[in-house]
Amino acid sequence: MDECQSAIPAHDGDLHVVAAAHHIVKALGTTKNLSDDLRKILIDLDAHLSLITSNIDSKGGKGFVEVEERLKRVERKIVIWESDRIMIWDSGPKEVSDYLEAVDEVQTLIDSLRGLPMNENQKQKELLHLASSLLQMAMSRLEEELIHMLVKHKQQSEPTYMPSLSSQRNVVYNESVVSLNNESAKEASSKSSRSDECGEYIIDLVPEHVIPDIKSIAKVMFASDYGQEFCEAFIGVRKEALEQHFDILENGKLSIEDVLKMEWCSLSTEMNKWTWSMKIIFRVYLMSEKRLCDQVLGEFGSVNSFCFLEIAKTTILCLLNFGEAIAMGPQEPEKLLRLLDMYETLADLVLEIDALFSEDGGSFVRLEFHKLLDGLADSVKAAFNAFRVAVSSNGSLYPFPGGGVHPLSKYVMNYISMFPDYCSTLNLLLEDQHSDVASLVSEPQCGPTASLSTSCPMACHLRSITSALESNLHKKSKLYKDEALQHIFLMNNLHYMVQKVKGSELRPFFGDEWIRKHNAKFQQHEMNYERVTWSSVVLLLKDDNAGSSSLSKSAFKEKCKGFSIAFEEVYKNQTSWCIPDPQLREDLRISTSLKVVHAYRTFLGRNPAHVDDKCIKHTVEDVEKLLLDLFEGSPRSLRNSRRMMKT
């Protein structure tokens, strides 16, 4: 092409050939059914032939007459839009086509003028300066058009179109849940459902029909060496749009220092937002942003990945900074579930992150997210160990009132009941600690004949936690001065643990053998309670003179008095004791009644002659009814007992 531009015909015959070619090109240009590419070729060829003619004329002193005329025509087409603030692309396809043709012709003339030897030709310099000024004016206008187009057609999408990502399982405890410091706290964990299908979440950030218009601007600006300006405008608008989407997700732009200073309640909320935002940002917005960049800039090579990275960088750094702050912060037990959510979310996204930033320019993004994944893994392990230590070391200065289910038992059992949802992750992360923990758990579930569920790393860790809980509960039971209440306390808490295991997804990890063993434990405490409490009371009804079938009236009266005093003392104390589980409470009442009422009835039956209101204070029916007041958790006396009201 340069040879064509610089070649100058030396003979009249050559001049005729150039003129004829010029005439043919102009004639072809009037054809209506030409493709855009062919029309572009004809325009370029026409410009080159004009310059050859002009260069010949300049040798004869006539100058670049036709080139100047063409520039003037183009100038009018470009300048007219400078005074009109109506957007070209809002004015109709003909206006767009005319403007782009004018810009294309300016670029063609510039290329042709630059291709000619400069030879100190002042006219040539003037025309080149005019053409360059027109091109710069047109590029500025195209940049404005691009920004207007991107802003006008920006899709205002809310994150509600992802039902499978937005549906969360919120866990709300029936019991009051407290922290390991015995301070009231509500702990809820949410695991977002996952989807392996990411493509269905890609949305149109810009309507499909606008893409060709954006591409047409891109082609013209890149062809005119204004690709950098195009990229800056494109990045600016799209970056702002992404940050707006990020703000819609209510993520604060928190520094690492802000995160490290945050109270747990606020931090828990922010951690939950992070897991949600990671899914939305990467699986929706960044996947969609990448597609938009591919559509607009796909044919411009590395420019595509550069623009995408620049658009995403600020939002990604916000997400990274928060994750890194969490990973480097203190790993208290209450963070464990949130840390697991964060780890699993990132683990699910790593392949997509690698694909989105597969080019060399995005290597730092891939590297930082892989480092964060390792950091979160370490944090999970640290928090898990801290949880076990906290369970084991949780101390109390005073016995828990009424001997009911201790808040620590509720906290631990409710907390671990959510771990099965993270089974695969915990098995992976706790594998290196498996042998150490298995050696601490003496139960057969961790032995060579154990099932796959009961012998996995998570199962052994769970049982190590409940073992620590049991040891702690035994320490707490010693705070009660009354031995019978010690057994009630342990019976309540062991029964609660068993019921939590039986009625949840924990059962496969603990196994039926563990359940049988702990059933036997709380039943043993139930029998020990009856022995410690009622054996001495029933013993008062034993006949002293084995050879006589009945007692003397005075001996009978004395025994009845002793029994009444002992029974009333038990009643006074144990109506304030608590057995929260209705079935367990009923079972113990029945068992107690069978033992005490039977002994009392038998005693009275052996001494029928002395049974009158003066000798006995409580009838068999009274005792039977009064036993029903036990373990309700509210102190009662015989005076206000509803059981003693005469009907």
Side-chain angles (χ1 to χ4, degrees):
M1 189 62 73
D2 289 342
E3 293 178 359
C4 178
Q5 291 171 342
S6 58
I8 301 173
H11 305 287
D12 290 343
D14 296 333
L15 294 175
H16 289 304
V17 172
V18 171
H22 202 175
H23 178 73
I24 293 171
V25 167
K26 285 186 174 294
L28 289 173
T30 62
T31 306
K32 293 183 178 180
N33 298 323
L34 291 177
S35 66
D36 291 340
D37 290 339
L38 183 54
R39 190 177 298 279
K40 172 76 165 53
I41 292 171
L42 292 174
I43 291 173
D44 289 347
L45 184 55
D46 180 44
H48 295 319
L49 292 172
S50 296
L51 282 172
I52 291 172
T53 305
S54 298
N55 203 31
I56 295 168
D57 290 341
S58 68
K59 300 243 176 227
K62 296 181 181 178
F64 294 80
V65 177
E66 186 174 350
V67 173
E68 185 173 15
E69 289 177 356
R70 292 176 65 180
L71 275 176
K72 293 295 183 182
R73 289 196 299 270
V74 171
E75 183 180 21
R76 286 192 294 272
K77 290 183 178 181
I78 291 175
V79 172
I80 192 173
W81 285 101
E82 295 305 303
S83 59
D84 192 343
R85 299 323 300 163
I86 298 176
M87 292 291 113
I88 300 171
W89 265 261
D90 290 344
S91 302
K94 183 179 185 307
E95 286 75 5
V96 170
S97 177
D98 289 346
Y99 194 84
L100 291 179
E101 283 182 12
V103 174
D104 188 64
E105 185 163 0
V106 171
Q107 183 60 60
T108 299
L109 292 172
I110 289 174
D111 291 343
S112 299
L113 286 167
R114 286 175 177 168
L116 294 172
M118 293 304 289
N119 293 332
E120 301 300 324
N121 190 311
Q122 186 62 33
K123 190 63 176 178
Q124 182 181 359
K125 291 180 181 179
E126 291 175 1
L127 292 175
L128 185 57
H129 177 73
L130 173 60
S132 297
S133 298
L134 286 174
L135 184 64
Q136 185 174 356
M137 186 185 299
M139 292 301 108
S140 296
R141 180 55 188 247
L142 288 178
E143 188 176 335
E144 290 180 24
E145 295 282 338
L146 171 66
I147 293 172
H148 171 75
M149 197 179 301
L150 289 171
V151 172
K152 176 183 177 181
H153 296 287
K154 180 175 61 179
Q155 300 284 58
Q156 301 295 332
S157 302
E158 298 285 341
T160 54
Y161 42 77
M162 295 179 62
S164 63
L165 286 183
S166 61
S167 58
Q168 295 182 324
R169 180 181 62 84
N170 291 318
V171 178
V172 180
Y173 299 154
N174 293 326
E175 299 82 4
S176 61
V177 180
V178 297
S179 73
L180 293 181
N181 292 322
N182 291 337
E183 296 174 358
S184 295
K186 292 182 180 178
E187 173 62 32
S189 171
S190 58
K191 276 184 64 104
S192 302
S193 8
R194 302 180 196 137
S195 173
D196 295 328
E197 300 294 332
C198 298
E200 63 183 293
Y201 301 131
I202 295 178
I203 58 173
D204 291 330
L205 298 176
V206 173
E208 279 292 330
H209 72 272
V210 181
I211 301 298
D213 294 334
I214 299 174
K215 288 180 67 175
S216 66
I217 295 176
K219 287 180 180 179
V220 172
M221 292 186 72
F222 273 90
S224 303
D225 292 329
Y226 278 79
Q228 181 177 346
E229 287 75 6
F230 177 91
C231 290
E232 288 175 356
F234 185 79
I235 290 168
V237 176
R238 292 310 314 156
K239 180 179 178 181
E240 182 181 351
L242 180 60
E243 290 178 5
Q244 287 175 354
H245 290 309
F246 190 62
D247 290 340
I248 289 173
L249 297 173
E250 298 181 356
N251 284 270
K253 294 179 173 61
L254 302 169
S255 67
I256 291 177
E257 292 75 16
D258 292 334
V259 175
L260 294 177
K261 293 177 183 177
M262 198 171 289
E263 295 292 329
W264 166 239
C265 186
S266 300
L267 184 60
S268 175
T269 300
E270 293 300 324
M271 291 171 78
N272 197 36
K273 285 181 184 178
W274 188 89
T275 60
W276 166 246
S277 298
M278 282 289 290
K279 293 181 177 75
I280 295 293
I281 291 297
F282 279 96
R283 286 191 168 150
V284 181
Y285 293 131
L286 288 185
M287 293 287 282
S288 302
E289 201 71 60
K290 185 67 170 70
R291 186 181 71 166
L292 178 61
C293 288
D294 289 343
Q295 290 173 323
V296 174
L297 299 165
E299 60 189 78
F300 299 108
S302 60
V303 170
N304 182 6
S305 58
F306 169 79
C307 288
F308 174 65
L309 182 60
E310 290 299 310
I311 291 167
K313 189 184 297 182
T314 301
T315 298
I316 287 175
L317 287 176
C318 283
L319 291 167
L320 272 172
N321 284 342
F322 182 85
E324 289 169 1
I326 293 298
M328 70 172 61
Q331 304 309 339
E332 294 93 347
E334 61 265 24
K335 290 183 181 178
L336 182 52
L337 292 176
R338 290 283 182 253
L339 285 168
L340 281 165
D341 285 336
M342 290 179 68
Y343 175 86
E344 288 194 345
T345 295
L346 185 52
D348 285 345
L349 290 170
V350 160
L351 292 179
E352 291 158 65
I353 292 171
D354 288 347
L356 280 171
F357 300 97
S358 58
E359 295 84 358
D360 292 341
S363 60
F364 87 93
V365 176
R366 302 195 305 272
L367 178 62
E368 289 302 315
F369 272 112
H370 280 274
K371 283 171 57 179
L372 177 57
L373 186 64
D374 292 339
L376 289 173
D378 292 338
S379 296
V380 168
K381 289 186 276 190
F384 201 98
N385 290 330
F387 179 44
R388 184 190 300 107
V389 171
V391 171
S392 179
S393 61
N394 175 259
S396 300
L397 295 176
Y398 305 100
F400 185 66
V405 178
H406 197 278
L408 179 64
S409 299
K410 294 181 179 181
Y411 180 82
V412 172
M413 297 309 296
N414 280 292
Y415 211 52
I416 67 173
S417 68
M418 288 178 281
F419 288 173
D421 287 338
Y422 305 92
C423 179
S424 298
T425 297
L426 286 172
N427 281 337
L428 174 68
L429 298 181
L430 300 175
E431 177 62 37
D432 58 344
Q433 305 171 9
H434 184 202
S435 57
D436 296 337
V437 173
S439 65
L440 299 175
V441 182
S442 59
E443 294 152 6
Q445 284 87 351
C446 285
T449 60
S451 69
L452 188 61
S453 294
T454 58
S455 62
C456 68
M458 188 191 80
C460 288
H461 277 77
L462 289 181
R463 290 194 298 277
S464 75
I465 289 173
T466 55
S467 294
L469 174 59
E470 284 184 59
S471 297
N472 193 303
L473 290 171
H474 276 280
K475 292 178 185 177
K476 287 178 173 16
S477 72
K478 302 303 180 184
L479 296 171
Y480 296 101
K481 295 179 181 179
D482 192 321
E483 184 184 354
L485 188 50
Q486 293 178 13
H487 292 298
I488 289 292
F489 174 75
L490 290 172
M491 178 194 71
N492 275 327
N493 284 272
L494 289 170
H495 178 267
Y496 179 83
M497 292 169 65
V498 170
Q499 293 305 110
K500 277 294 179 181
V501 169
K502 287 172 63 177
S504 71
E505 295 178 8
L506 291 170
R507 184 166 190 155
F509 300 98
F510 281 81
D512 291 340
E513 180 61 28
W514 185 95
I515 293 174
R516 283 193 292 271
K517 181 178 178 180
H518 285 76
N519 271 332
K521 283 184 178 182
F522 82 74
Q523 288 167 1
Q524 183 62 51
H525 286 295
E526 181 180 349
M527 290 187 290
N528 289 343
Y529 156 78
E530 291 181 355
R531 175 182 56 78
V532 171
T533 297
W534 296 109
S535 292
S536 58
V537 175
V538 171
L539 191 62
L540 294 172
L541 302 175
K542 185 178 179 181
D543 290 344
D544 295 327
N545 48 345
S548 175
S549 60
S550 62
L551 297 171
S552 65
K553 187 164 185 176
S554 60
F556 175 79
K557 187 174 182 179
E558 189 64 27
K559 281 189 174 291
C560 284
K561 180 180 179 181
F563 173 80
S564 295
I565 292 172
F567 181 84
E568 288 173 9
E569 184 65 23
V570 171
Y571 181 89
K572 176 184 174 183
N573 290 333
Q574 297 192 14
T575 52
S576 65
W577 295 3
C578 180
I579 299 180
D581 185 83
Q583 188 61 52
L584 182 62
R585 184 170 61 245
E586 185 66 20
D587 289 346
L588 188 55
R589 283 172 176 170
I590 292 172
S591 176
T592 301
S593 182
L594 287 174
K595 183 173 186 176
V596 176
V597 173
H598 174 72
Y600 191 46
R601 180 180 284 114
T602 301
F603 171 73
L604 296 180
R606 288 199 306 268
N607 301 276
H610 308 314
V611 177
D612 57 45
D613 291 342
K614 294 180 180 179
C615 290
I616 63 169
K617 187 175 183 179
H618 305 299
T619 66
V620 172
E621 290 74 17
D622 290 338
V623 170
E624 199 169 17
K625 291 178 180 179
L626 287 168
L627 286 173
L628 298 178
D629 286 336
L630 301 183
F631 316 125
E632 290 286 353
S634 56
R636 303 178 70 85
S637 66
L638 290 175
R639 290 180 181 177
N640 63 13
S641 172
R642 64 182 183 277
R643 308 293 182 189
M644 295 301 293
M645 294 177 64
K646 301 298 183 181
T647 57

